């Protein structure tokens, strides 16, 4: 079975606009469907809500900054579309199961991280990577439209 083209276009739009506020009203107006229909279709195809997908993508993209920069956690959250440190930290914990500071310690191979936290980070990294691998496969499973040229136009 092929991926739904509308969902693929929605994924592309979300990815292109991930660092700014995206509303259901905006998606509804952009794609000319009622927001309830878009939410049901997205959930049916991707198995998470649109908001969950947006939050997972923002958190996933923020992991690199937490690992590679000395920016504050607040700055990283703001760069990735969160309106406050509290909202970023809360969402990070909801998606990953631990705080951004624990991930930063893990990424920097700190001796301050417990064995339990170390294993939790490894498990969640594998889980979120698998999720985005699934998204990539979904996008790549779009129906290819074959175009044949008519012999009279050759």
């Amino acid at each position: 079975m092929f991926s739904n083209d509308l969902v693929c276009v929605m994924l592309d739009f979300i990815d292109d606009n991930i660092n700014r506020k995206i509303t259901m009203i905006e998606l509804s107006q952009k794609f000319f469907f009622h927001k309830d229909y878009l939410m049901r279709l997205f959930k049916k195809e991707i198995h998470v809500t649109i908001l969950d997908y947006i939050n997972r993508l923002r958190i996933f993209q923020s992991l690199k900054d937490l690992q590679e920069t000395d920016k504050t956690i607040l700055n990283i959250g703001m760069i990735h579309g969160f309106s406050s440190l509290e909202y970023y930290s809360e969402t990070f914990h909801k998606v990953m199961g631990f705080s951004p500071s624990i991930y930063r310690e893990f990424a920097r191979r700190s001796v301050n991280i417990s064995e339990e936290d170390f294993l939790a980070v490894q498990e969640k990294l594998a889980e979120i990577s698998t999720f985005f691998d699934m998204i990539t496969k979904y996008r790549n499973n779009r129906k290819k439209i074959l175009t044949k040229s008519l012999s009279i136009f050759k």
Side-chain angles (χ1 to χ4, degrees), residues 16 21 36 38 40 42-43 59 84 99 111 116 133 143 149:
D16 291 343
K21 185 175 183 174
D36 293 340
L38 293 176
R40 277 193 312 274
F42 195 92
K43 173 85 175 188
I59 295 302
S84 69
S99 70
V111 294
E116 182 181 330
D133 287 346
K143 188 173 187 177
S149 58

Side-chain angles (χ1 to χ4, degrees), residues 45 49 68 85 148 152:
E45 294 290 315
T49 66
E68 296 178 358
L85 175 60
K148 293 183 180 180
I152 60 171

Side-chain angles (χ1 to χ4, degrees), residues 9-10 12-13 49 53 77 95 110 127 129 151-152:
V9 173
M10 287 173 60
D12 293 341
F13 177 81
T49 66
Y53 176 78
V95 169
S110 172
E127 186 179 302
S129 293
S151 59
I152 60 171

Side-chain angles (χ1 to χ4, degrees), residues 2-23:
F2 293 108
S3 301
N4 184 294
D5 274 336
L6 176 57
V7 173
C8 289
V9 173
M10 287 173 60
L11 287 166
D12 293 341
F13 177 81
I14 291 167
D15 288 2
D16 291 343
N17 294 281
I18 194 65
N19 293 331
R20 68 171 186 79
K21 185 175 183 174
I22 301 169
T23 67

